[in-house]
Amino acid sequence: MDDFDSIKNIFFEECHELLSELERSLEIIESGDFTDEIVNAAFRSVHSVKGGAGSFGMPDLVRFAHVFETALDLLRSKTLHIDSGVIKIFLRATDVLSDSLQAEREGAAHPFERQNQSIKELISLGCDNSLSADKFLNRDDNLRELDGEEKSLSLFSPVSIELSDIDNASGEELDIAFEIFEDSEGNSSPNGADKSEKSRKKNLNNEINEGESENAPTIIKVSPQNNNVTIRVDLERIDKLVDLVGELVIGQATLRERYEKNHWGRAEPVSIENALSDIDQLTRNIQDAVMAVRAQPLRTVFQRMQRVVREAAHATGKSIQLVMDGEDTEIDRSLIERLTDPLTHMLRNAVDHGVESTEDRLKNGKSADGVIRLSAIQKSGRIIITVADDGAGINRERVKSIAIKKGIINSQANLSENEIDNLIFFPGFSTSSTVSDLSGRGVGMDVVKKAILDVGGRVTIFSEKGVGSTFLLSLPLTLAVIEGMAITSCEQTLILPVSCIVETMLFNYKDVFVMGDGVSALSIRGVFMPLLDISVVLGFSTGENFQDREVILVVEDDDGNRVALLADGIDGQMQVVSKNVEKNFRATRGISAATILGNGNVALVLDAASIIHMGSENVCRLPYPSGLAGIERRSPEWAT
Amino acid sequence: MTGFLRQEIDDGANKVISFQVGKQEYCIDILKVREIRGWLGATPIPFAPDFVSGVINLRGIVLPVINMRQLLGNSVDQDGGRDVVMVVEISDKIFGFLVNSVSDIIDVKKSMVQGVPNVASDREKGFVSGLISINDRMVGVLSLEVVAATILESVA
């Protein structure tokens, strides 16, 4: 990637932010409660995109942005009456501008048809006569060349002056470049007229340098495989990290010095302990600081959802308002990327299936506008994202009959309401009898669930008839560190993610019941659940003397299946950094990752869901010693 | 570890590292070996083939250890105490080879490598691509490709 490309990339990144800004401004304007400053901000956003596009030589973008800008100017001069129709036109134009930028970035063809459509709408708002519609429309794809009249509008022809050529550039070219550059910084027009050409050149250079040194965002490469992935990080956070690393170096030197002194009997052991605890503290702080570098506010995803809902509502002819809350909640960058698709699916679903049509809503005494709430909150080490609609709720009879028809459940199955709700997550399930443009291909919710599970999250659903449905996504803060419970089994240390443990208790052999075919069940407060010995499941032992094991861990998978796991002991809770086992070996059933213990040994991290699944395959019968004195082998009535 | 034997270096010579597995001596290209570590035990992996002793931690990388005695079918009984792990990189994957000891660095010319006699077992013949006679010792040239293929095939 050469310098020019990287500057161009920064431009696109900035455009992305400018458009989010624009969208936000338009929404505030729509709410009616706005100041002139908000209108100016909206205007400036488009103006900056235009300016930037001009200096990078993107005539199609400049043309569209100019019309957009002119229309927004009507807002600024208060000659346009603001109503929701006007804002909708502006929002659509924002989407088109965003797509055009994307097309420009990928080198793809511009969405000319939509551009033209949007230009017509914008001009219909009553731009002054200098903007005659056909001048700006692309009559066909080849109509990129500007006709004579347009050539005179020098603003629209791309102005690009290589910095190295700047001394050779004509005064006129400089003026344009200068103006565009200043404008794109959001300043007022330059008073370049009374400056000598030379000083302007100097100024331009200065500004460019300044832009690079101070205003340029700190860009950090996240993944070495993909060179294009960059994140913007507050300089403050990087500074904090650097400070902490400095402290760590000092702490390490202190520790070494005290250790050496102690070695010669010249230091108090307590001074070493102090140094150690300082390093403990620093390590924790550095861990937090590094996480903070990768953390990004959810706003980037949430902002996109406005558009998703807008387009989905437009396509279904429903009137829907998206209310967002907690966009500032921060989450690991890698999770942000993996959230976009599931959230898009869920919101489309909420629009398509959740919220009823306007007539139905009015009939049921609801407001005409449907409301979808998208909110995020950080709660005990996890991020909870809620998607709630105020629609009709899940039609359980219909869900059930479709599940029976598709063979997902047995027609005699007696399911709880919650179980019925969860049927929508089954692969291939779709209640829509006709395949709609938005959802209803039957590849929605199961994909959502899988995507969320893949990042260590859970999906929960609440639905009330006539009131609406709520989807809760519970996500980890980061993928790198998990909270684990260290347990021992057959002298091995294993890690069980704390999130899957329901409860732990001492093992009492009296609670074990055997079913006819040798499968064991454990009675916990009168509730039976399958009993599995971890070492037997993993093939480390055949389970002799299993009756001597100490503890039971009740674990649950995301579908709510529970089993009781037998282990020798619990070592305690710890933060574990998960390491990939598959990279140098292979995926192993029952194991999700590995981690390094304090003593340098490797410990395997168990995958509760696959262990439960392995247990259900009846491969893990426990050997019951025959004639064990004092213990009666019983079979509960339901097993016979 | 025995002292290193230096052979005279001549054109086209490759350095190989030779090691003891049971009573046999084998060698591999020295450039494939990243480091050699003392054996401190491994964490067993469920459902792994017999020749996988488990996984170890190499400065944050988790890698499987292959028990070469098991893999090559030599005497399985543990010698104990003197075992070492050679960390070997084969086609982007990192393995640990558990061997009895590392014995030598040898300069080997192509011309020194003899064919494997027909009397060797099929298993042995698969893993060993040639033999080197040096100082009255017989050193088998281990074919890393075959070893890696065997490991990956049984673990894939």
Side-chain angles (χ1 to χ4, degrees), chain A residues 492-493 537-540 579-591 594-596 600-604 614, chain B residues 40-41 43-49 52 55-57 59-64 92-95 151-152 154-156:
Chain A
Q492 265 219 67
T493 303
V537 176
L538 297 180
F540 290 146
K579 300 278 179 187
N580 189 329
V581 188
E582 291 162 41
K583 187 183 173 294
N584 288 311
F585 196 55
R586 60 162 170 185
T588 305
R589 288 194 75 190
I591 306 294
T595 188
I596 317 292
N601 285 348
V602 179
L604 301 175
M614 287 154 83
Chain B
L40 294 167
T43 303
I45 292 268
F47 319 113
V52 177
V55 285
I56 60 166
N57 162 32
R59 290 183 297 278
I61 303 169
V62 175
L63 54 97
D92 287 348
K93 295 211 175 220
I94 303 174
F95 299 108
I151 296 168
L152 294 177
S154 54
V155 299

Side-chain angles (χ1 to χ4, degrees), chain B residues 35-83:
Chain B
E35 62 184 278
I36 295 165
R37 295 167 69 86
W39 170 241
L40 294 167
T43 303
I45 292 268
F47 319 113
D50 287 346
F51 59 76
V52 177
S53 300
V55 285
I56 60 166
N57 162 32
L58 177 74
R59 290 183 297 278
I61 303 169
V62 175
L63 54 97
V65 175
I66 313 299
N67 187 334
M68 297 305 276
R69 284 180 292 248
Q70 289 265 13
L71 183 71
L72 300 174
N74 290 350
S75 72
V76 170
D77 39 277
Q78 297 272 330
D79 206 343
R82 292 176 61 232
D83 292 346

Side-chain angles (χ1 to χ4, degrees), chain A residues 276-414:
Chain A
L276 259 180
S277 71
D278 283 353
I279 289 187
D280 281 352
Q281 187 66 42
L282 276 170
T283 313
R284 209 167 279 269
N285 290 349
I286 289 178
Q287 193 186 339
D288 290 346
V290 173
M291 294 300 171
V293 166
R294 288 189 58 107
Q296 305 248 289
L298 276 166
R299 169 169 319 220
T300 43
V301 193
F302 275 25
Q303 206 66 50
R304 272 197 240 178
M305 295 308 138
Q306 283 285 13
R307 178 175 175 187
V308 169
V309 170
R310 199 158 60 230
E311 288 182 346
H314 185 71
T316 51
K318 292 175 185 172
S319 164
I320 288 169
Q321 207 189 339
L322 178 66
V323 181
M324 297 194 296
D325 189 24
E327 305 104 298
D328 288 323
T329 313
E330 294 200 326
I331 192 165
D332 193 90
R333 158 91 191 185
S334 54
L335 279 162
I336 286 207
E337 278 164 7
R338 294 166 77 168
L339 266 180
T340 311
D341 285 351
L343 273 184
T344 306
H345 262 304
M346 289 173 74
L347 283 166
R348 281 189 184 156
N349 253 319
V351 173
D352 202 16
H353 302 308
V355 177
E356 323 89 317
S357 65
T358 312
E359 305 89 76
D360 285 357
R361 289 183 68 88
L362 292 173
K363 218 184 291 164
N364 293 326
K366 289 180 174 178
S367 62
D369 286 4
V371 177
I372 297 175
R373 275 171 210 284
L374 177 61
S375 64
I377 188 171
Q378 184 174 345
K379 215 168 166 185
S380 60
R382 288 180 87 79
I383 299 284
I384 314 288
I385 295 179
T386 316
V387 179
D389 64 59
D390 68 344
I394 290 177
N395 186 340
R396 299 206 172 88
E397 294 83 55
R398 191 140 157 264
V399 166
K400 202 173 163 186
S401 72
I402 286 172
I404 291 168
K405 204 163 76 195
K406 300 209 167 178
I408 295 170
I409 54 169
N410 190 299
S411 58
Q412 268 88 51
N414 186 14

Side-chain angles (χ1 to χ4, degrees), chain A residues 40-182:
Chain A
N40 287 338
F43 179 81
R44 258 203 317 272
S45 302
V46 180
H47 190 66
S48 301
V49 171
K50 184 180 89 173
S55 40
F56 283 105
M58 304 165 179
D60 296 327
L61 263 179
V62 173
R63 190 181 305 122
F64 182 72
H66 181 72
V67 180
F68 195 174
E69 181 192 76
T70 315
L72 277 172
D73 199 33
L74 298 173
L75 270 188
R76 221 163 48 150
S77 58
K78 302 202 171 65
T79 50
L80 191 65
H81 175 69
I82 296 165
D83 59 28
S84 67
V86 172
I87 298 294
K88 276 209 175 87
I89 289 175
F90 283 139
L91 285 173
R92 262 202 297 282
T94 309
D95 295 346
V96 173
L97 187 57
S98 163
D99 287 348
S100 306
L101 273 165
Q102 190 62 30
E104 190 72 61
R105 188 172 196 170
E106 290 164 356
H110 279 249
F112 287 117
E113 205 172 299
R114 290 177 49 214
Q115 274 184 6
N116 290 346
Q117 172 72 27
S118 183
I119 285 174
K120 269 185 208 143
E121 286 178 353
L122 288 169
I123 288 176
S124 73
L125 291 176
C127 298
D128 76 68
N129 302 331
S130 70
L131 286 175
S132 71
D134 52 323
K135 195 160 84 182
F136 288 92
L137 298 184
N138 280 289
R139 272 148 289 199
D140 62 56
D141 281 5
N142 297 326
L143 249 174
R144 309 266 185 96
E145 311 123 50
L146 308 167
D147 55 36
E149 199 183 348
E150 271 173 303
K151 257 179 215 147
S152 66
L153 294 163
S154 55
L155 194 59
F156 299 136
S157 59
V159 179
S160 61
I161 304 172
E162 295 283 324
L163 289 190
S164 53
D165 294 343
I166 196 156
D167 288 326
N168 306 326
S170 73
E172 193 192 343
E173 274 178 314
L174 265 185
D175 266 342
I176 294 160
F178 197 66
E179 183 192 346
I180 285 169
F181 198 85
E182 282 219 334

